[in-house]
Structure formats: structure tokens, C-alpha cells
Amino acid sequence: MELSTKVAVIGAGHAGIEAALASARMGVDTVLFTISLEAIANMPCNPSIGGTAKGHLVYEIDALGGEMGRAADAVTLQSRTLNLGKGAAVHSKRVQADRKRYQAYMKAVLEKTPNLRLVQAEITEIKADENRHVCGVMTHLGELWHCECAIVAAGTYLESRIFIGSTNYESGPDGFLPSRGLSASLRALGITLRRFKTGTPARINRRSVDLSRLEAQPGEEAPLPYAASTPEHYMQGVEQIPCHIVYTNKDTHDVIKENLTRSAMYGGHIHGTGPRYCPSIEDKVVRFADKERHQLFLEPLGADTDELYLQGFSTSMPTDVQAKMLKTLPGFENAEMMRYAYAIEYDCCDPKELTATLEFRTVKGLFGAGQFNGTSGYEEAAAQGLLAGLNAALKVKGEEGVILPRSSSYLGTLVDDLIIKGTNEPYRMMTSRSEYRLLLRQDNADTRLTPLAHRVGLVDDARYEAFLQKQAHIAAEIERLGATHLSPDRVNPFLAMLGESPVTTGISLAALLRRPGVTYENLQALDENRPVLTRKETLSAEVQIKYEGYINRQMCEVSRHEKLESRMLPDTLDYKSIKGLRIEAAQKLAAQRPATIGQASRISGVSPADISVLLIHLGLR
């Protein structure tokens, strides 16, 4: 049987969901394929959304009209803001999500979205025409779906294999079927595939753990939501479920060391590359041999289940060793495992074969997103999915694709890192990866990205009007605080209470707010008649005032770099013929085909001298 659609999305994990929703919401007929409808929005690893830098990505997804933030708000069990002891640039929201409710929420959204069909079928082949343009996808049932674009968002399913000690078998995460055949089809199209690995810890029955011996970790009071559409008081009256902290000890490490060769990783069974920043517990014990203990987090999987997740205790040890390791932890002497820990290997692409729109250079209309692109994490996956989906929709419409510069977003940084630098291990977003992190804060994600989302049709007029109103309120408040001056007699008693040095002349409220000990909240003692604003509005106004000098400095850096980013490189440029360009640089430039001088400058092996040669050759100096 032959069927048709415009965009085919392969995989209904976090990347596939956002890709399909973005495409469909832009008015393009879209089909989302999944091996199992029960696997939609599955969280095979930790049941959380956000975290350091990942929270920024969730805010960016929401600013672009994506769904992850709204879903996380709807199923929050606990919310915390990380790094509050540091500057605003690295403040990162993280929530514990109800795993099953998250899946149900996303499935319902997909089912109700116009222009979107949800189909349970395994895609085993991607077809391209004689011009190397995608023209269809084939299911395992022999159905041919004609399409103009296909997005591979296969997560960890491609030829995936589970490892537990010396036992290994074909399987997707959480016992779902693996994807068989699609890897061979991608190779036939000329796509380079690699083998990566990740893992997950055991799940434990709550009633078998003595929580009184663990350190409780409560949520924060009155957290702010991810989504612009979620009311700011969304957690009011909701009892947050605590997490708990426990530490490994000498006994734990001794069990691991005694059984190290029985680990699938150290026993030579696993050949895929694992994540550097989320290693297995045996890897931690080996790599950090001087550490006497490692911190672990016991996290709830849902409000209606006793299943708990032990974050930081990922392993590929056999089941008997897992049990011994677990019982060395205080409070876990009688712990019962409901699901065993495992490692999983899977195929993924070389992201250097992608363009900045996440389309493969050598197969037109074929896009990649999520862990298939070599990343790790739900948030990185969802953000890429959204970008791939909107660009596939634009391609179908015959419009120019969207490219996000590094200075625009963590998503832009992530994509630029992947396609220019590549990755030899599962890539994880961190605030340190961005040279513009003071500009890329959580509080201003909508300022940076919502106008773009409105232009392409992912944010409707009503939401955009609310966004413009918010921006007007913030701008007016910044102006008011700068224009309101107070005398020393009024200000100095307030400063004395805070332990701040006095002033000798009149001072504006904005200048007071720039002092480290002064906050927008405690400044109300001198500013009784301030306008009524939302908490998100006051937060943005406060941050912009406090960090004005640093922000302006980074804006100047962005302006300087934009000159290189705006200088385009012809796709047909023959680098080997350019006189003065080193052989290594010519080879790498020819292989990666950077779109701009800025991208070329970030390729390993391309020196500043090579960039000068390019500029001179193109007459851009």
C-alpha cells in the first residue's frame, strides 16, 4: 500500500515529538512514526526535565513554541533552581517529572494536533530519488509513505543492544523493541554511523528503603514555571515530593573493584563510547580513585508509584553485583530492585555531515535530531527536534531555513558545536560551552527567540501580543528605576541595615539595585508605589540592571563576531585551489563545507592565518 505525507518523523521520543509538533503547527501535513505508542515521550533515564544549561534549553523550547516546558509544568513533582549561589547567567531550573503523566500528556497533545497523524510502525528504509532527495519511507509492514522530508529522531533505538554483565541482547530502552534495518538504509544513503553507549541505574521500591537515614532534599517555595502560558502560581497548594541524598562508601567501592571485570564495560563487551559527564558508577570509582564517596540522588518516578530512581548509580554490572553494591548504601540494606540497571549501545550519525538547519548535506530533505545526532539528554533532543521540524516545514514550503547563531541561544551553540567540532562521545549541554552565557539566560529566552517563532508560525498572535506587553513592562520598569532618585537622608538608613556603604549624593533606584546586597524585593522599602508586575517581569528587569555593564560588553563581542558570521562561503568553493591555504585546512574545509567564515574559524585545524587567506581570496578584506 502507498500513502503520502509531506514530513515523516521517525521516532516519538523527545526529539521526534517536538519535530512533529513544529512541522504540523506550521500547517504542514506530518506523520509521526513510532515502534510503540507506549514508548511516546518515554523517560528511560532520570525522571527530570532541566538542570544546569538544560533548563535554559527548556525555556528556549518554550520561547520557540515547543511543548516540553508546558508538559513539565503540568506534571511537576518537585522544582528547584540550581546554582542560585552563582550569577544569574547559570541559574538553571530543574523539575522532577511524573514519568507516566508526562507520557500521557504528550500522547494526548500529539493526538489532538491538527495536520499531525500518529502511526505505530517501524521505519526500515528511507528512499531517495536520483537527485539524492528524500522521496519516501518504508515501514516493516511494507507500506511506502511518499514524503518530501524525513526527520530521523531514533533516540537510542538504532540497532540497540542491552548489556548487563556478560549478558547482552538486542533491545531498545526499557524492554521496547530495537530498530532493525534503518541503520543499513542510512549507510546505503552514504550517512556515516558510529556506535555510542549510555546507561541507567536500577529502579528501587520505596518501601524497601529506610528514607529516615537519608538526607531529604525538598523543593523550592513558589517556583516559577517553564512555560509562558503556565500561571506563575502553578505550584501553589501543591505538595512537592522530596528527593533524598545518599553517598557511596568504602564498602560500595570495594564491591565494585572486586567485580570490575564482570562489568560489561570493563569486561570488554561494550565497544560504544559512553558519556563523559554521566559515567557509570564503576567508571567513577576507577577514574576518581582518590574520592572516598560519590553523591547519589534518590528521585521519585511518579506520585502514584513507589518506584524510585537512584541518580548517579548507573552501571552495567551483573544483577548479583548490583544487589551487593546497593546494600552497602546506608538505608538500602533491604532494598528491592524493581528494574535492573543496564548499559545500552546504539547507532548514531556523525553530526559534522549536517548543516546548521540539521539537514544532511549529501541527502536533501533528510534531517537528524536528538541522540541520533550524538547528543545525550531529553532537553538537547527536544530542542534539536523543534529546529529540525521547523526547518523541514520551511523546506516543504519553499522558504529559507532557520539558522540560529551561537549568540542567539544554547540551541544555536549546541548545533554549531555539533556540526563544526563534531563529538566523539554523547554531547551534553553545559553553560561553560557558551561564550555568551550572560546573554543567554533563562529569563530572556523569549526576548531572544519568540519573535522568530512568531514569524515562522509557531507562536500565535495572542501569545505574541502577551510577549510584547511583557517586554514593554520590563522596559518601562528599567526606565522608571533609572529615573527615580532619592536623597542620602532617605537612602542611608536602608543601606546601613544591609551593611552597605552610605552615599553622599542623591542616587537612583537603578544604581542602588546594582549593589550586591540590594535586591528588587528589599528595595521595595524605598519604593512603595512601584507598579504591579509579574515575577518574571521583575526578575528580568533586575537582572538587566544589575548586569548592565557586563551585558553591554558581551553585546559588543557579538557585534564583532557577527561580521564573520555574515560573510558567506560559496558551497562550490574549491579550497584546494586557494593559494596560501594550508593542506590540512583545505582538506577540513572541503570535508565540512562551512556556510560562513565564522563557522570556518571554529573548525579544528583551521588557523587564523587560514581565515585571513580565505578573506583575501574572496575579496572580503
Side-chain angles (χ1 to χ4, degrees), residues 356-373:
T357 63
L358 296 182
E359 183 180 16
F360 281 92
R361 288 197 301 272
T362 56
V363 184
K364 299 305 178 185
L366 181 62
F367 293 78
Q371 286 182 269
F372 174 69
N373 287 356

Side-chain angles (χ1 to χ4, degrees), residues 244-262:
H244 291 82
I245 298 173
V246 65
Y247 295 88
T248 62
N249 52 55
K250 182 180 183 300
D251 291 341
T252 316
H253 297 184
D254 286 345
V255 171
I256 291 171
K257 291 172 184 176
E258 290 166 6
N259 294 278
L260 203 56
T261 57
R262 298 185 65 196

Side-chain angles (χ1 to χ4, degrees), residues 400-416:
E400 188 175 348
V402 166
I403 294 175
L404 296 174
R406 295 180 68 87
S407 58
S408 74
S409 54
Y410 275 96
L411 174 52
T413 303
L414 183 158
V415 172
D416 189 73

Side-chain angles (χ1 to χ4, degrees), residues 74-309:
V75 303
T76 295
L77 299 173
Q78 185 201 91
S79 180
R80 297 177 64 237
T81 301
L82 309 182
N83 303 321
L84 283 175
K86 301 178 181 179
V90 295
H91 293 175
S92 300
K93 179 180 171 70
R94 182 181 189 269
V95 306
Q96 290 301 130
D98 190 307
R99 185 185 186 210
K100 288 300 181 184
R101 284 175 57 209
Y102 187 90
Q103 289 181 272
Y105 175 101
M106 283 299 197
K107 186 169 182 283
V109 169
L110 293 168
E111 291 170 346
K112 293 175 174 59
T113 298
N115 307 311
L116 178 57
R117 285 172 282 175
L118 192 56
V119 176
Q120 179 171 294
E122 180 183 357
I123 300 301
T124 57
E125 184 181 358
I126 297 172
K127 292 184 174 293
D129 60 24
E130 62 276 8
N131 296 316
R132 295 188 60 76
H133 195 296
V134 165
C135 62
V137 297
M138 182 74 77
T139 75
H140 70 302
L141 299 174
E143 288 183 336
L144 175 62
W145 286 78
H146 296 284
C147 62
E148 296 180 24
C149 291
I151 303 171
V152 182
T156 60
Y157 284 80
L158 284 184
E159 302 294 340
S160 53
R161 182 170 287 272
I162 295 289
F163 293 81
I164 304 175
S166 60
T167 301
N168 65 84
Y169 52 92
E170 286 187 332
S171 176
D174 280 336
F176 289 108
L177 292 172
S179 170
R180 305 181 185 97
L182 185 55
S183 287
S185 175
L186 289 165
R187 287 192 180 94
L189 289 170
I191 305 301
T192 303
L193 297 182
R194 293 98 55 81
R195 199 79 173 152
F196 276 3
K197 164 254 173 187
T198 189
T200 189
R203 308 311 200 268
I204 301 147
N205 194 313
R206 180 191 298 271
R207 63 178 169 79
S208 68
V209 181
D210 184 357
L211 297 177
S212 67
R213 297 179 61 191
L214 277 59
E215 177 187 338
Q217 187 183 50
E220 64 185 321
E221 292 185 13
L224 287 170
Y226 278 124
S229 59
T230 302
E232 288 192 350
H233 57 275
Y234 79 117
M235 292 298 290
Q236 185 175 332
V238 177
E239 184 178 354
Q240 297 189 46
I241 299 177
C243 295
H244 291 82
I245 298 173
V246 65
Y247 295 88
T248 62
N249 52 55
K250 182 180 183 300
D251 291 341
T252 316
H253 297 184
D254 286 345
V255 171
I256 291 171
K257 291 172 184 176
E258 290 166 6
N259 294 278
L260 203 56
T261 57
R262 298 185 65 196
S263 160
M265 183 171 66
Y266 284 91
H269 302 287
I270 293 176
H271 303 290
T273 306
R276 178 190 302 264
Y277 299 102
C278 190
S280 65
I281 187 63
E282 57 262 42
D283 205 18
K284 289 180 187 176
V285 169
V286 171
R287 287 167 52 186
F288 307 105
D290 58 319
K291 277 189 171 281
E292 295 181 355
R293 65 178 190 172
H294 293 281
Q295 189 178 53
L296 309 174
F297 297 90
L298 192 63
E299 303 171 341
L301 265 70
D304 301 319
T305 179
D306 278 339
E307 208 174 343
L308 299 174
Y309 180 93

